[in-house]
C-alpha cells in the first residue's frame, strides 16, 4: 500500500508539474503577444478615426484609418500626404488629419482663394471648393526647414495652418500618415496621397 501511495503521489506530482509548465508557457505566450501588439502600435501602425468633415470629400466623418508610423523614419513627408498630428484645443490634446500643402523652405500664400507656393499657383484638385478665408496666409508665410503647411480638403470647414491655433506644423509633431481606410467596409482602400 505504501508503494502504491508513493506511485500515485509521484504521478500526481508529475501531472502538476506538466500543468504548471503549460500555464507558464501560456503566460509567456500572452506576454509576448501583448509586447508585440504594443511595439507594432507604438512604432509601426495605429488605428485612428476621422472626426468631422474637414477632409471631405476624400475622407468622411467616422472613417476608420490605419496610420503608418514607420515610413517617415526613412523619408520626409511629401506634398499632398495626409498626416496625423496633435493640436492643443480647449486645454486638451486632439489629433488632426490634414493634407500637406507647403514643404520646408517654401513660402505659402492664399490669394483669391487659391494657394501659391513660392509665388506660383499650386495645381491641385484636393480642395472641395475655393477658400473664402485665407486666414494668416493672406500674407506670405515662410516655412522653416522643419515646418509644413497643412490644409483640410474641405477648405471652408477646416481648422488648419491658416489659423494660429494650428499654424506651421513642425516635422517632429507628425505622428504618421494615413495609410488604409478600414471602415466603412464599402469604402476600404489604400489612401492615395498623390
Amino acid at each position: 500500500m505504501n508503494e502504491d501511495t508513493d506511485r500515485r503521489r509521484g504521478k500526481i506530482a508529475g501531472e502538476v508539474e506538466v500543468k504548471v509548465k503549460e500555464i507558464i508557457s501560456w503566460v509567456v505566450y500572452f506576454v509576448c503577444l501583448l509586447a508585440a501588439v504594443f511595439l507594432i502600435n507604438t512604432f509601426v501602425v495605429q488605428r485612428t478615426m476621422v472626426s468631422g468633415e474637414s477632409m471631405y470629400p476624400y475622407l468622411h466623418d467616422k472613417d476608420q484609418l490605419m496610420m503608418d508610423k514607420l515610413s517617415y523614419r526613412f523619408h520626409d513627408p511629401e506634398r499632398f500626404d495626409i498626416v496625423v498630428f496633435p493640436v492643443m484645443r480647449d486645454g486638451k490634446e486632439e489629433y488632426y488629419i490634414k493634407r500637406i500643402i507647403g514643404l520646408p523652405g517654401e513660402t505659402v500664400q492664399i490669394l483669391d482663394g487659391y494657394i501659391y507656393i513660392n509665388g506660383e499657383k499650386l495645381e491641385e484638385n484636393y480642395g472641395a471648393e475655393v477658400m473664402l478665408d485665407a486666414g494668416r496666409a493672406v500674407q506670405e508665410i515662410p516655412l522653416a526647414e522643419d515646418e509644413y503647411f497643412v490644409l483640410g480638403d474641405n477648405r471652408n470647414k477646416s481648422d488648419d495652418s491658416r489659423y494660429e491655433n494650428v499654424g506651421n506644423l513642425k516635422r517632429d509633431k507628425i505622428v504618421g500618415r494615413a495609410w488604409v481606410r478600414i471602415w466603412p467596409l464599402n469604402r476600404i482602400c489604400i489612401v492615395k496621397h498623390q
Side-chain angles (χ1 to χ4, degrees):
M1 181 148 167
N2 202 7
E3 195 175 295
D4 194 34
T5 304
D6 287 344
R7 257 188 266 142
R8 273 188 267 150
R9 285 184 184 159
K11 184 178 178 185
I12 291 170
E15 289 173 0
V16 167
E17 185 178 335
V18 167
K19 290 288 183 191
V20 167
K21 286 181 179 179
E22 188 176 321
I23 289 170
I24 289 172
S25 73
W26 277 104
V27 168
V28 168
Y29 171 78
F30 282 115
V31 167
C32 289
L33 183 64
L34 289 174
V37 168
F38 172 77
L39 290 171
I40 288 170
N41 193 51
T42 302
F43 299 108
V44 182
V45 294
Q46 180 178 330
R47 187 189 63 77
T48 191
M49 182 176 71
V50 176
S51 179
E53 297 292 333
S54 73
M55 288 300 293
Y56 185 83
Y58 191 67
L59 298 175
H60 296 219
D61 187 37
K62 306 282 191 268
D63 278 359
Q64 301 284 323
L65 308 174
M66 291 304 290
M67 173 179 49
D68 164 19
K69 298 170 81 173
L70 188 62
S71 64
Y72 288 156
R73 295 180 191 275
F74 303 103
H75 68 83
D76 289 328
E78 298 173 3
R79 191 178 329 275
F80 304 128
D81 282 0
I82 297 173
V83 295
V84 178
F85 58 94
V87 172
M88 289 303 289
R89 186 172 174 163
D90 300 327
K92 65 178 185 170
E93 194 173 72
E94 291 184 11
Y95 286 87
Y96 280 22
I97 299 174
K98 305 292 177 194
R99 191 177 299 277
I100 291 177
I101 299 298
L103 300 173
E106 296 179 337
T107 60
V108 179
Q109 187 172 18
I110 297 171
L111 297 172
D112 299 322
Y114 295 98
I115 305 161
Y116 289 80
I117 305 290
N118 297 332
E120 298 287 324
K121 186 175 178 182
L122 178 65
E123 296 301 325
E124 55 100 30
N125 58 358
Y126 292 106
E129 54 201 358
V130 174
M131 283 175 277
L132 300 176
D133 182 8
R136 65 190 193 98
V138 72
Q139 302 293 321
E140 280 191 351
I141 297 174
L143 299 173
E145 291 305 314
D146 66 338
E147 292 181 333
Y148 296 84
F149 190 90
V150 295
L151 293 173
D153 288 357
N154 194 359
R155 304 277 161 81
N156 292 317
K157 294 182 181 170
S158 178
D159 190 16
D160 47 42
S161 288
R162 292 175 288 168
Y163 307 108
E164 290 295 333
N165 64 314
V166 175
N168 297 351
L169 176 61
K170 295 277 190 189
R171 169 73 166 86
D172 64 356
K173 292 292 185 187
I174 297 174
V175 177
R177 78 182 179 124
W179 174 43
V180 177
R181 179 178 18 229
I182 59 173
W183 187 263
L185 293 176
N186 65 335
R187 295 182 52 237
I188 288 176
C189 69
I190 292 177
V191 175
K192 295 179 186 174
H193 295 274
Q194 294 296 335

